[in-house]
Amino acid sequence: MYKLHGDDKPKKSKKKEKRMSMREVMELMGIRRDTYKRVRGAIRRK
């Protein structure tokens, strides 16, 4: 009558995903960028 687990769908093959290093993740999030600050009208790198 009714299926309990829904196993009638075809299984999708899992692709191996490339693991990103911590440095690559930080670069994507913008953490490793230089920070700039305005000092007496001039923009300086912190």
Side-chain angles (χ1 to χ4, degrees):
M1 223 162 125
Y2 293 107
K3 292 187 179 184
L4 295 177
H5 299 290
D7 291 332
D8 56 345
K9 294 180 184 177
K11 299 279 184 180
K12 292 182 183 177
S13 62
K14 290 185 179 180
K15 292 182 181 178
K16 291 185 179 179
E17 294 183 14
K18 180 186 169 193
R19 295 284 299 174
M20 295 179 70
S21 68
M22 195 65 181
R23 183 176 187 141
E24 290 173 331
V25 173
M26 291 171 86
E27 284 180 11
L28 282 175
M29 292 192 300
I31 294 174
R32 298 185 62 86
R33 286 192 203 154
D34 292 334
T35 54
Y36 295 93
K37 187 177 181 182
R38 187 172 290 275
V39 178
R40 294 185 181 183
I43 299 173
R44 303 266 167 90
R45 196 167 90 196
K46 206 172 184 182

